[in-house]
Amino acid sequence: MGFRLDELLEILNPERVALDGEIELSGVSIDSRSIKSGEAFVAIKGERYDGHDFACEAIAKSGSFAIVEKPVDCPHLLVESSLEALKRLAAYNLKKSGAFSVAVVGSVGKTTTKELLADFLSCKRSVCRSFANENNVIGVCKTLLKLRDEDFCVVEVGVNKPNEMGEIASFFKPKGVLFLNVGSVHLEYFGSVERVFEEKAKIIQRDSVLVFNGDDRILRSAFGDRKNSFCYSKGAGCDFKVDAGDEYLFIGGGILEVKLRKRDDINPENIVAAVCGACVFGGIKEERCFNRVLDSFEPPGLRMKTVWLGNTRVILDCYNANVHSMRYAIEVLSKQKGKKLAVLGDMFELGELSESLHRDVGRFLKGRGIDLCAVGEEARFIYEEARNGANRWYFSNKQELIEFLKERMLEYDVVLFKASRGMKLEEIFEAVRS
């Protein structure tokens, strides 16, 4: 599904129209490297690159025109703001498609849950979804603009700083919202968990169908009495009751009864959220569908990914980290058989609470029979707190840790690598096995 030129002119109301003859328009793109024939190029000015510098190169490939906020020497529409033009086009394309849009929001588990929800809905319906974890303003626009004639559009939405969700909500107004949790993330910019919640909640529209985690204290307090809302919980008082056994998850309620196989590389909370979302938004209730998806599902990116070095199982969970995901990964590690080692690095963007939250992780390690290698400035607090009788080592730089692991890693049956993305702990593993 593309745009007619007259639609585009009406949506954007450009200050200048500098076009050569009739143009067939199949869509829009912001990437001059991957633009396709018939796509208009929207020139976005970023932190490192200015799309205007590549506008003429892009339309030479596409045979179309550019949407710019300053004149270029090739066919173009001149608008006040290229970014605002992109938002308008994204919103219009969503409306034109008629797809049921779902925003997946939360502090932990958004990408995995988004992928699971999209896969579950795909059992019966066609689905457009966010690519990877493209969840900021530009990423949401890209998702909405790639919509064609799918039944559902599942969009991951995220924030790092104040006012970002408000900007997304100004053009993306989802019909459904799946709210996973509110945790201690991005506190450097927000200051408190309550302010994190206030920002994330801006994506919820007055008429949005809401599915939320009733075990999250903040969410239960905020939405417990909200109309057109459904909650899931391990306790009482929600639409979906969750029971977790050693091998299975049981989700029950007035509209759903399913028994699902557990996997230690997928957080059960993500599975439950996606199942409940698929039931409410898409009417998916078939146990066979859920288990078929779970059997073949591959967690995206470096999330609880298992690789092998000789006879040592290595769990790479290096995409991101906060105190909640740290605890989950440590708990999974503790249940493994044999000799266990956790290689833990810094959790970023925690502001004044960074020391206390790193110490929380150290205390969580106590008594679990896990040796510890801590690396990074903030990870020292994990090391200091993890006095539990197990072996522990602290490294101020990666090279020291690499040399240590080259000598000692194969002594372990299971090794976990876990830290925030900026630590790039997977590079340590690659150096060790090279």
Side-chain angles (χ1 to χ4, degrees):
M1 180 172 59
F3 297 95
R4 299 193 312 272
L5 184 57
D6 62 313
E7 287 181 307
L8 203 68
L9 295 176
E10 183 177 352
I11 296 165
L12 301 182
N13 189 24
E15 298 174 3
R16 179 191 303 167
V17 178
L19 303 180
D20 294 332
E22 292 295 322
I23 295 175
E24 292 292 329
L25 190 63
S26 62
V28 298
S29 172
I30 63 170
D31 192 336
S32 62
R33 298 164 298 181
S34 60
I35 192 168
K36 298 180 176 63
S37 177
E39 290 182 336
F41 178 73
V42 184
I44 302 295
K45 182 175 174 58
E47 294 181 0
R48 293 187 299 170
Y49 301 105
D50 186 345
H52 293 81
D53 296 335
F54 307 97
C56 293
E57 173 189 337
I59 67 166
K61 295 179 182 178
S62 72
S64 185
F65 58 89
I67 298 171
V68 296
E69 57 189 48
K70 58 185 179 183
V72 292
D73 191 21
C74 48
H76 64 271
L77 300 181
L78 182 66
V79 296
E80 183 176 351
S81 167
S82 297
L83 180 57
E84 288 302 317
L86 189 71
K87 295 176 191 176
R88 290 185 189 179
L89 293 172
Y92 181 83
N93 198 52
L94 173 60
K95 182 178 180 180
K96 185 177 179 179
S97 76
F100 187 99
S101 56
V102 179
V104 179
V105 62
S107 296
V108 184
K110 292 188 297 296
T111 303
T112 299
T113 305
K114 175 260 300 182
E115 293 293 333
L116 282 168
L117 174 60
D119 284 353
F120 291 152
L121 291 171
S122 295
C123 286
K124 285 188 174 181
R125 313 292 288 274
S126 57
V127 181
C128 173
R129 71 186 80 189
S130 302
F131 175 74
N133 67 315
E134 292 188 335
N135 60 24
N136 60 9
V137 171
I138 296 292
V140 173
C141 285
K142 288 170 66 176
T143 302
L144 301 185
L145 284 166
K146 71 178 182 179
L147 255 172
R148 294 298 180 258
D149 56 358
E150 295 88 351
D151 300 307
F152 283 90
C153 184
V154 180
V155 186
E156 178 179 337
V157 290
V159 296
N160 293 315
K161 297 179 181 179
N163 302 318
E164 284 185 298
M165 192 64 83
E167 184 176 4
I168 293 173
S170 70
F171 67 93
F172 176 42
K173 304 185 184 301
K175 296 177 181 177
V177 175
L178 180 55
F179 208 140
L180 309 181
N181 44 54
V182 185
S184 302
V185 298
H186 310 309
L187 296 181
E188 179 180 354
Y189 305 106
F190 288 98
S192 70
V193 174
E194 288 73 20
R195 289 185 63 190
V196 172
F197 164 72
E198 290 171 2
E199 184 66 25
K200 291 181 180 295
K202 291 177 181 178
I203 196 62
I204 303 171
Q205 307 300 303
R206 179 175 297 180
D207 57 350
S208 294
V209 180
L210 174 66
V211 177
F212 69 93
N213 179 0
D215 290 328
D216 186 290
R217 174 186 57 83
I218 293 177
L219 299 186
R220 177 71 78 101
S221 176
F223 304 129
D225 297 324
R226 183 184 185 273
K227 294 181 179 180
N228 209 19
S229 297
F230 302 80
C231 65
Y232 54 90
S233 172
K234 297 174 185 176
C238 270
D239 304 274
F240 300 94
K241 176 70 167 61
V242 181
D243 292 309
D246 292 333
E247 297 183 35
Y248 293 95
L249 282 169
F250 302 88
I251 306 175
I255 55 176
L256 183 68
E257 294 286 342
V258 292
K259 175 183 177 182
L260 309 174
R261 290 182 284 274
K262 289 178 67 174
R263 288 175 48 173
D264 63 10
D265 59 342
I266 309 175
N267 191 322
E269 293 183 4
N270 298 339
I271 297 174
V272 171
V275 166
C276 296
C279 177
V280 172
F281 303 134
I284 310 296
K285 303 177 184 180
E286 290 75 12
E287 187 174 290
R288 182 183 300 178
C289 159
F290 295 129
N291 278 315
R292 185 173 70 247
V293 168
L294 288 171
D295 285 345
S296 61
F297 185 77
E298 292 291 333
L302 292 169
R303 294 170 174 86
M304 299 299 287
K305 179 180 180 180
T306 290
V307 295
W308 292 87
L309 185 59
N311 293 321
T312 300
R313 179 190 176 191
V314 180
I315 303 173
L316 296 174
D317 197 7
C318 308
Y319 176 75
N320 217 335
N322 51 59
V323 66
H324 313 285
S325 62
M326 278 279 196
R327 287 176 177 173
Y328 175 72
I330 291 168
E331 189 171 3
V332 169
L333 178 62
S334 70
K335 294 178 180 178
Q336 307 305 307
K337 296 180 180 179
K339 190 175 181 182
K340 299 176 279 285
L341 172 67
V343 181
L344 305 182
D346 292 351
M347 301 179 291
F348 293 163
E349 297 184 4
L350 296 179
E352 295 179 355
L353 292 178
S354 183
E355 178 178 342
S356 65
L357 291 174
H358 281 85
R359 290 191 182 278
D360 281 348
V361 173
R363 287 191 290 271
F364 193 76
L365 275 167
K366 290 181 179 180
R368 295 181 180 271
I370 299 172
D371 289 351
L372 168 68
C373 285
V375 60
E377 184 176 348
E378 299 296 293
R380 177 184 289 276
F381 302 124
I382 299 176
Y383 166 81
E384 290 178 355
E385 207 66 41
R387 299 182 182 93
N388 60 352
N391 296 313
R392 61 193 179 100
W393 300 270
Y394 173 75
F395 302 89
S396 59
N397 64 74
K398 291 182 179 180
Q399 192 56 45
E400 292 177 358
L401 174 57
I402 290 169
E403 297 305 318
F404 176 86
L405 291 175
K406 283 183 175 180
E407 295 183 5
R408 303 287 295 274
M409 192 163 131
L410 292 180
E411 298 176 10
Y412 291 90
D413 297 288
V414 190
V415 179
L416 166 70
F417 286 80
K418 176 73 174 170
S420 281
R421 179 84 287 268
M423 291 293 293
K424 297 182 179 179
L425 286 195
E426 73 280 4
E427 293 180 354
I428 293 176
F429 171 69
E430 294 297 335
V432 170
R433 75 171 178 178
S434 63

